[in-house]
Amino acid sequence: MYCYRKVTDDLYWVGSNDRRLAMFEGVYSVPDGVSYNSYLLLDEKTVLFDTVDKAVKGTFFENIAEVLDGRKLDYMVIHHMEPDHSEAIQEVVMRYPEVQIICNQKIANMMKQYFEFDIDSRAILMNEGDSFSFGKHNLVFVMAPMVHWPEVMVSYDTTDKILFSADGFGTFGALNGALFADEVDFERDYLDEARRYYTNIVGKYGDQVQALLKKAATLEINMICPLHGFVWRRNIGDFIGKYMHWSSYAPEEYGVVIAYASVYGHTENVAEILACRLRERGVKTVMFDVSVTPASDIIAAAFKWSHLVFASTTYNAGIFVNMEALIYDLVAHNIQNRTIALIENGSWAPTSGSLMREQFEKCKNMTILENTLTVISSLKKDQLAQVDALADAIAESVPGAAKTLPMPEAKKEEIAVKAEIDPNAMFKLSYGLFVLSANDGSKDNGCIINTVMQVTDVKKRIAIAVNKANYTHDIIKKTGEFNVSVLTTDVPFKVFQQFGFQSGRDVDKFAQAGSEARTANGLRYVPEYSNAVISGKVTEEYDYDTHTLFVADVTESAVLSNVPSVTYQYYFDHIKPKPQPTTDKTGYVCKICGFIYEGDELPADYICPLCKHGVEDFEKL
Ligand code: FEO
């Protein structure tokens, strides 16, 4: 039986989930399954975006037939040829013989490697920036080599501003009925899996991902439709920010990953003691037994945290086998910009420390602490000072570690005596954010405020504090009436720019509003990004230097949606644009695969280490 979901009025998700797959790509555990996303557009022409893995072809074809409802399939857009998305191409062609395939030359070439039908007669080849119209919808194509294979491209629907992002912005995990990321608690339940997906699948290609993000930054994106995981229609900037972070190889958090390989528990014991000493110094720690935890989880953690400790027993005169595989994997995934500490164990010839060091010396921008802690069979009491020294050395390079140490008594007394006012303490109050609107008799106006509180319940009264510099303040002083629109977590930054970054004395702020909505008092409000509107009639005013506190009777109130209210903290964490990590590299980029050669001069005989093309295929950054 078919099982599809609507993405927009004319776009459908026709993919499916696989919860029986043990290892994605044969190497990454997927305990919560994985989704294979495909999308079907019903325009003047019908368009299928990519296909699915062979494991879920049954539901996929039922979905297509149901959504097409008797129409023929005109086009299939193929963004990526890895078989988890391309497996069903030949069967699509057999079932819908008139279908034409929109792809690029590299995709067409790869299609010939996998399939035997006549590809050339039905392929329509796209180059960077080419566009194709299906009626109402117009698609523009952008090449994205090595995100995650060399043939990959993404496309952008200029009509609905949808980015079809191929593997980019995907997440491990079956969808479980949800399609949109805002239908789940993504940060709590899926962010770790999104990181594990990114770091393991495309983590090696940070430069290429950054190149794609730079292209994406020029587009207004309302929705992202990836090939795995959820569709994004809210808080898109947040997720793009994560990709900017991960692809720059900058750690997300200060803290220490301790990965250990221990045959009889003695190396584990050293790791445990070090973790305790680090916690006592206020340093966050996470620990992994490499014999138990899949490497993909540890790789994701290594991309998240700033410091990495590897503790390994010596085995067959080398690094313990699981640790060796992990380190090989980390180096292959291009891990960089981390501080590394090493612990080795060995009962007669400990060598794992120097061998681990050799591996990490291949990575970029690694600070490898000089002293390897060597243990002969088991840690002895007289070596505890060495563990302390290692903990000190790590903690010294963890910014903020000291801040989380228990506060010494002397410091407490100092604070009590001085009784200083730290303005940052005010930010810990759980403010919301609101548009306060009023009308001066000829013009609607509004401003952003963060202080609205209910004063009494029977009858209902609220109080608002308004800065006297705001024109809305003057209007309310004159008219005694206002509306409060309670902003939600999906409010875009532009609303703060519209109401907060300009004066109503100079501009008509509501001229830029999307709706004409008014409450019974005739005042405007902001229905698009609010979950409630409350109308107030001022009964009392209190002058507090810079602000006036207005107390008002509630004359009308309505719930507009169930989207959570935005808090001041949420605004700073998720809405206010953050400075993005930048790459200020000079060099040359390979036009074939996106590899970046760093340096002022490209040697005449240089060969791209990824795709093996020569200097003629490089261009200056
Ligand atoms: Fe999901 Fe690169 O395939």
Side-chain angles (χ1 to χ4, degrees):
M1 182 65 176
Y2 56 82
C3 177
Y4 63 83
R5 278 199 63 179
K6 253 187 159 187
V7 182
T8 65
D9 283 345
D10 52 8
L11 182 69
Y12 296 77
W13 175 81
V14 291
S16 195
N17 298 291
D18 184 357
R19 296 181 186 81
R20 289 195 166 184
L21 182 68
M23 300 301 261
F24 182 75
E25 293 187 1
V27 63
Y28 306 120
S29 57
V30 278
D32 301 318
V34 65
S35 78
Y36 302 106
N37 298 343
S38 172
Y39 305 91
L40 183 52
L41 176 69
L42 301 184
D43 200 346
E44 287 171 24
K45 300 293 181 185
T46 58
V47 191
L48 180 69
F49 293 87
D50 298 291
T51 72
V52 294
D53 189 82
K54 60 176 179 289
V56 298
K57 275 201 300 188
T59 312
F60 168 68
F61 279 112
E62 287 191 80
N63 289 344
I64 294 175
E66 180 62 23
V67 174
L68 283 176
D69 194 21
R71 291 182 67 179
K72 70 185 175 79
L73 182 63
D74 296 305
Y75 296 104
M76 177 162 48
V77 174
I78 299 298
H79 294 101
H80 180 21
M81 272 306 294
E82 193 164 12
D84 55 333
H85 310 295
S86 67
E87 188 73 36
I89 289 176
Q90 183 151 318
E91 195 170 334
V92 170
V93 170
M94 283 167 55
R95 288 175 183 243
Y96 301 96
E98 292 176 57
V99 71
Q100 290 185 280
I101 301 175
I102 298 174
C103 60
N104 61 39
Q105 184 64 63
K106 281 189 259 182
I107 288 175
N109 294 347
M110 272 198 189
M111 223 178 284
K112 290 173 191 170
Q113 293 169 199
Y114 282 104
F115 302 113
E116 296 196 336
F117 65 91
D118 178 8
I119 287 153
D120 289 334
S121 67
R122 60 179 76 240
I124 303 171
L125 300 182
M126 294 290 126
N127 291 305
E128 175 80 17
D130 284 354
S131 63
F132 200 97
S133 176
F134 303 108
K136 180 179 147 204
H137 293 267
N138 187 56
L139 216 58
V140 176
F141 294 88
V142 176
M143 302 303 128
M146 301 318 293
V147 187
H148 124 250
W149 278 16
E151 86 294 359
V152 173
M153 63 179 187
V154 301
S155 62
Y156 176 67
D157 176 350
T158 57
T159 310
D160 281 351
K161 304 188 184 342
I162 298 175
L163 178 68
F164 293 94
S165 61
D167 271 340
F169 304 107
T171 306
F172 282 142
L175 298 181
N176 304 333
L179 174 62
F180 301 101
D182 55 88
E183 293 178 311
V184 298
D185 190 332
F186 188 84
E187 186 151 350
R188 186 192 67 194
D189 298 332
Y190 290 92
L191 181 59
D192 285 347
E193 281 298 81
R195 184 188 298 103
R196 191 166 70 90
Y197 171 90
Y198 169 82
T199 53
N200 285 279
I201 304 293
V202 279
K204 178 179 176 64
Y205 303 108
D207 289 339
Q208 290 81 356
V209 173
Q210 292 248 321
L212 177 61
L213 291 172
K214 272 181 197 152
K215 291 179 187 175
T218 63
L219 305 172
E220 184 185 347
I221 299 172
N222 287 343
M223 192 176 283
I224 298 178
C225 291
L227 289 177
H228 300 286
F230 298 106
V231 170
W232 286 82
R233 63 182 175 183
R234 290 198 176 120
N235 301 327
I236 291 173
D238 253 13
F239 201 41
I240 292 178
K242 284 288 176 199
Y243 262 65
M244 286 298 290
H245 214 112
W246 296 334
S247 57
S248 71
Y249 300 100
E252 284 171 86
E253 286 199 44
Y254 289 113
V256 183
V257 172
I258 302 177
Y260 63 89
S262 188
V263 179
Y264 294 107
H266 299 101
T267 310
E268 179 186 36
N269 175 242
V270 186
E272 291 278 14
I273 293 169
L274 176 66
C276 291
R277 297 296 87 84
L278 287 168
R279 282 284 173 176
E280 285 164 3
R281 286 158 175 78
V283 178
K284 289 180 189 168
T285 49
V286 290
M287 296 186 70
F288 299 101
D289 182 333
V290 300
S291 299
V292 176
T293 305
S296 64
D297 290 80
I298 308 175
I299 288 171
F303 270 72
K304 176 178 179 180
W305 297 95
S306 59
H307 290 59
L308 312 177
V309 175
F310 297 91
S312 178
T313 189
T314 302
Y315 203 77
N316 287 335
I319 307 168
F320 184 78
V321 56
N322 290 30
M323 180 65 86
E324 187 174 43
L326 170 69
I327 292 175
Y328 178 84
D329 234 6
L330 271 169
V331 175
H333 279 84
N334 220 355
I335 187 78
Q336 51 192 275
N337 300 327
R338 296 296 187 275
T339 299
I340 304 259
L342 300 169
I343 300 171
E344 65 178 355
N345 196 349
S347 290
W348 57 94
T351 57
S352 54
S354 57
L355 294 171
M356 290 191 289
R357 185 175 293 271
E358 260 174 39
Q359 293 303 312
F360 288 117
E361 279 170 352
K362 297 174 188 169
C363 302
K364 283 188 201 163
N365 300 329
M366 287 297 200
T367 304
I368 308 175
L369 296 186
E370 206 172 312
N371 292 328
T372 297
L373 175 60
T374 300
V375 176
I376 305 297
S377 297
S378 65
L379 192 78
K380 296 290 177 299
K381 229 176 183 176
D382 62 6
Q383 280 193 289
L384 287 173
Q386 285 175 263
V387 180
D388 274 327
L390 183 59
D392 280 337
I394 294 170
E396 261 170 36
S397 61
V398 177
K403 286 181 202 149
T404 54
L405 282 171
M407 190 185 294
E409 288 303 311
K411 180 74 178 170
K412 281 185 194 164
E413 282 163 21
E414 194 181 313
I415 286 175
V417 171
K418 284 188 181 169
E420 286 175 351
I421 293 173
D422 179 350
N424 291 320
M426 302 302 156
F427 291 112
K428 301 299 180 194
L429 294 170
S430 54
Y431 292 115
L433 285 163
F434 313 90
V435 171
L436 176 70
S437 48
N439 183 290
D440 67 3
S442 60
K443 189 170 75 171
D444 297 300
N445 193 50
C447 66
I448 301 285
I449 59 171
N450 64 7
T451 314
V452 177
M453 64 176 286
Q454 184 176 350
V455 180
T456 58
D457 190 40
V458 185
K459 70 193 213 186
K460 290 202 165 27
R461 290 188 185 89
I462 57 172
I464 58 172
V466 191
N467 192 309
K468 290 178 182 173
N470 285 317
Y471 182 46
T472 315
H473 169 273
D474 296 353
I475 299 175
I476 294 171
K477 282 230 17 134
K478 196 168 81 183
T479 64
E481 286 196 297
F482 62 82
N483 278 348
V484 170
S485 300
V486 184
L487 296 173
T488 53
T489 50
D490 59 359
V491 60
F493 185 61
K494 68 177 184 194
V495 170
F496 295 93
Q497 292 173 303
Q498 181 183 339
F499 288 104
F501 294 4
Q502 49 188 352
S503 171
R505 294 183 181 87
D506 310 321
V507 296
D508 179 357
K509 294 186 184 181
F510 272 98
Q512 304 155 38
S515 116
E516 284 284 330
R518 293 181 189 273
T519 47
N521 59 10
L523 301 181
R524 299 284 291 270
Y525 64 104
V526 184
E528 296 91 345
Y529 305 109
S530 304
N531 56 20
V533 58
I534 301 169
S535 301
K537 192 165 182 54
V538 176
T539 54
E540 290 140 281
E541 303 177 14
Y542 300 92
D543 188 310
Y544 292 110
D545 308 321
T546 55
H547 287 65
T548 299
L549 184 73
F550 295 103
V551 178
D553 289 344
V554 173
T555 57
E556 183 181 356
S557 61
V559 172
L560 306 175
S561 82
N562 289 322
V563 180
S565 303
V566 67
T567 62
Y568 211 51
Q569 186 69 47
Y570 189 94
Y571 168 76
F572 278 104
D573 289 347
H574 301 281
I575 297 172
K576 189 178 180 200
K578 299 178 179 66
Q580 298 291 354
T582 55
T583 51
D584 51 359
K585 291 173 180 164
T586 56
Y588 296 79
V589 61
C590 173
K591 290 184 285 182
I592 307 298
C593 73
F595 173 80
I596 291 175
Y597 171 88
E598 290 178 53
D600 293 333
E601 286 298 326
L602 185 67
D605 59 351
Y606 191 73
I607 302 285
C608 175
L610 289 185
C611 67
K612 311 301 176 199
H613 283 68
V615 290
E616 65 281 2
D617 286 315
F618 278 75
E619 63 187 10
K620 205 163 179 18
L621 279 173

